[in-house]
Amino acid sequence: RLFAILLTTLPVLGFANEVYVDGLYYNIIEGTTQAEVISCGREGDIVIPSTITENGIEYKVTSIGDNVFNSSYITSIEIPTSVTSIGSWAFEYCSALSTIEIPAGVTRIGSSAFCGCSSLSSIKIPSGVTSIESDTFYKCYNLTSIDIPSSITSIKSGAFSGCSALSSIDIPAGVTSIGSSAFAGCASLSSIEIPSGITKIEDYVFGYCRSLSSIDIPSGVTSIGSKAFSDCTSLSSVEIPAGVTFIGTSAFDGCKALSTIKLPSSIFLIGERAFSGCSSLTSLEIPSSANNIGIGQMAFSDCSGIKTIELSASVFSIGSAAFTGCSNLTDVYFYGTRLPQLGGFTNQFDGCDLGNATLHVSSDLLDDALNASPWRSFGNVVFFDNPNVPQCAAPTISYKTGKLSFASATPGAQIHYEIGSTDALSGSIDAGDVEVSTFITVTAYATAIGYRRSVITTYQVPFSLGIPGDLNHDGEVNATDIVEIANIILEKESEQ
């Protein structure tokens, strides 16, 4: 301790215009009548004068430099109104400093300026400051209130991280960016309003805010970063805005009170472990989207309360262990016409009681689901008709001169057909008659990507039993046959 005190009383080297006055070192800013505090050789209560005099010249004290009071044992400080700038790390780890009044004329407060001031309970930021820099109030464990002026437009990374006693904070409407970890570890913060100008929720910005019970995410937000709300154990509901396309890794990991979540149709990627451990969720709906939606590995792992999962046709891929540990799962609905791609192993539902669960798929997928892992592990696999998925147009069937023609009004449709006859039999009898039908029955249905299977179309093709003049084999001679005969005669004449 004595060695540390001796070090702080030694002159600071490296400034050509260094001045020592009453335990403080100053640098005279060359070419001006201004001075900056550059080091402190005292402890206890500190008073910075508004002016100092050197060689008969008065200099105005306008700034507190970087690291000036870093780790010093100061209990209070008076900063003159002449000061306009406070440097980075200026009061870092001044653990005994409990109060400070920043003059109204200050326009800049450097990064980590009050980092580790664990006794500081309140502070007012002057209206001339426009940005709260990185780690400015990091680890101010006893900070319970802070007044942020409307002039602030940016709150940078870690600015209030670890302020575990801070229970509320008003962020000005003009703030357009909030950096990563800005409020991480603010364990007492119960509510916060994010300004409408924010377009991205950065990584870990509200991580470990364990008292945060609700959050309104502005409509302009398009992405939610990794661990943005991780371990917010009191967060019970959240609505993701319509423009969000990306939810990052572990974004809501460990939010065990989260009982409802509404995902937007704009989403295309749900990151790894995004909602892992959200054990109060009881249902999950992945909506239809213009995008192919990817669900990352372990995205909903250990969501033990989930009973029902609804996967839209937009779900393109499901990562490994995505739903592992969803131990109360009873029903999974998949509304697509093709089973999703599976990432890694086929362990998407490990730890689920699939033997007592039901998979609901469209009739087109029933066979695929019964023969592919992990889908075939469900105790029941049933098909359904979902009215929200458009139905493929039923095929039309026509017959002419020995050829069947099929068509569907749905673009890209594929026709599946069967041709049968009740007369496909053989046998032997005594002399007599064997009765036969006069028709072959053709059935067909159509399928297309993004559509439910069509209804079945049935068409009967009449046998031609050797009736003279029945060229189209419809079992009778009619006008169609006469036209066909005329065409044959004309073709013959043209060949002669």
Side-chain angles (χ1 to χ4, degrees):
R1 173 92 181 149
L2 179 60
F3 179 67
I5 293 173
L6 289 171
L7 282 177
T8 59
T9 60
L10 291 174
V12 179
L13 301 178
F15 292 94
N17 301 311
E18 185 180 312
V19 176
Y20 176 78
V21 180
D22 294 333
L24 296 174
Y25 292 90
Y26 302 85
N27 177 51
I28 305 301
I29 301 173
E30 191 170 352
T32 72
T33 56
Q34 297 178 4
E36 177 182 58
V37 184
I38 57 172
S39 185
C40 175
R42 293 171 48 193
E43 292 185 341
D45 300 332
I46 303 294
V47 177
I48 300 175
S50 59
T51 61
I52 60 171
T53 301
E54 175 70 8
N55 295 327
I57 301 173
E58 187 177 81
Y59 295 93
K60 185 178 181 181
V61 179
T62 58
S63 60
I64 298 171
D66 296 347
N67 285 299
V68 175
F69 300 99
N70 192 328
S71 301
S72 297
Y73 188 80
I74 59 174
T75 53
S76 68
I77 187 164
E78 290 184 25
I79 302 173
T81 57
S82 56
V83 169
T84 60
S85 175
I86 297 174
S88 299
W89 312 284
F91 297 94
E92 185 178 41
Y93 292 107
C94 291
S95 57
L97 185 65
S98 58
T99 61
I100 189 170
E101 185 174 339
I102 302 174
V106 169
T107 58
R108 176 185 174 271
I109 300 174
S111 59
S112 301
F114 297 96
C115 171
C117 292
S118 54
S119 297
L120 195 64
S121 60
S122 64
I123 199 163
K124 182 178 181 179
I125 299 174
S127 60
V129 177
T130 59
S131 175
I132 300 176
E133 300 298 321
S134 300
D135 300 329
T136 299
F137 300 100
Y138 176 46
K139 292 184 178 179
C140 290
Y141 299 127
N142 285 300
L143 189 66
T144 57
S145 67
I146 185 162
D147 189 347
I148 302 177
S150 59
S151 57
I152 296 293
T153 59
S154 173
I155 299 174
K156 296 189 177 178
S157 60
F160 296 95
S161 181
C163 294
S164 53
L166 191 64
S167 60
S168 65
I169 190 168
D170 291 327
I171 301 176
V175 170
T176 56
S177 67
I178 301 176
S180 60
S181 303
F183 296 94
C186 292
S188 299
L189 193 64
S190 59
S191 64
I192 195 165
E193 185 173 342
I194 303 173
S196 59
I198 299 296
T199 58
K200 180 181 181 181
I201 305 296
E202 297 286 352
D203 296 349
Y204 207 41
V205 64
F206 297 104
Y208 286 91
C209 291
R210 290 179 171 170
S211 297
L212 192 65
S213 58
S214 63
I215 191 81
D216 289 328
I217 300 175
S219 59
V221 169
T222 58
S223 66
I224 298 174
S226 298
K227 296 188 176 182
F229 298 95
S230 64
D231 288 286
C232 290
T233 53
S234 297
L235 189 64
S236 59
S237 65
V238 65
E239 184 170 342
I240 311 296
V244 170
T245 60
F246 171 79
I247 298 175
T249 300
S250 299
F252 295 90
D253 188 357
C255 294
K256 62 183 182 181
L258 191 63
S259 59
T260 59
I261 180 76
K262 185 176 181 181
L263 298 171
S265 59
S266 54
I267 198 76
F268 75 82
L269 180 61
I270 300 170
E272 297 179 15
R273 302 187 65 94
F275 295 92
S276 178
C278 295
S279 54
S280 294
L281 280 177
T282 57
S283 62
L284 170 67
E285 180 182 353
I286 309 296
S288 295
S289 172
N291 308 306
N292 287 328
I293 298 174
I295 299 175
Q297 63 182 16
M298 301 185 75
F300 296 92
S301 61
D302 297 318
C303 292
S304 56
I306 287 183
K307 295 181 179 181
T308 304
I309 297 173
E310 295 188 56
L311 305 174
S312 72
S314 303
V315 174
F316 177 75
S317 63
I318 302 176
S320 60
F323 301 102
T324 190
C326 295
S327 53
N328 283 299
L329 186 65
T330 59
D331 291 273
V332 174
Y333 294 82
F334 179 62
Y335 298 129
T337 57
R338 288 185 178 180
L339 290 173
Q341 293 183 4
L342 303 177
F345 304 100
T346 56
N347 61 348
Q348 281 69 20
F349 295 94
D350 276 10
C352 303
D353 186 12
L354 293 188
N356 290 310
T358 300
L359 173 66
H360 306 258
V361 294
S362 68
S363 53
D364 304 336
L365 291 182
L366 192 59
D367 289 342
D368 290 342
L370 288 169
N371 290 288
S373 294
W375 315 107
R376 65 184 178 190
S377 299
F378 281 79
N380 296 294
V381 181
V382 298
F383 74 88
F384 64 94
D385 286 326
N386 176 15
N388 295 319
V389 178
Q391 189 171 35
C392 200
T396 58
I397 307 172
S398 60
Y399 173 80
K400 185 177 180 181
T401 58
K403 293 181 181 179
L404 285 167
S405 297
F406 300 92
S408 172
T410 300
Q414 185 175 19
I415 311 299
H416 309 263
Y417 66 88
E418 288 185 5
I419 301 174
S421 172
T422 56
D423 301 323
L425 49 83
S426 61
S428 61
I429 60 170
D430 294 333
D433 298 328
V434 175
E435 188 173 321
V436 296
S437 71
T438 57
F439 296 95
I440 294 174
T441 300
V442 181
T443 59
Y445 65 88
T447 61
I449 296 174
Y451 293 82
R452 288 183 291 129
R453 193 178 77 171
S454 76
V455 297
I456 294 175
T457 299
T458 301
Y459 182 78
Q460 290 184 323
V461 181
F463 277 129
S464 174
L465 300 179
I467 299 175
D470 182 18
L471 271 65
N472 63 357
H473 309 287
D474 62 0
E476 61 183 23
V477 178
N478 51 33
T480 304
D481 299 303
I482 294 171
V483 171
E484 188 70 23
I485 292 170
N487 288 335
I488 294 172
I489 292 169
L490 290 172
E491 288 178 5
K492 293 291 185 181
E493 288 179 349
S494 64
E495 292 173 359
Q496 294 175 358

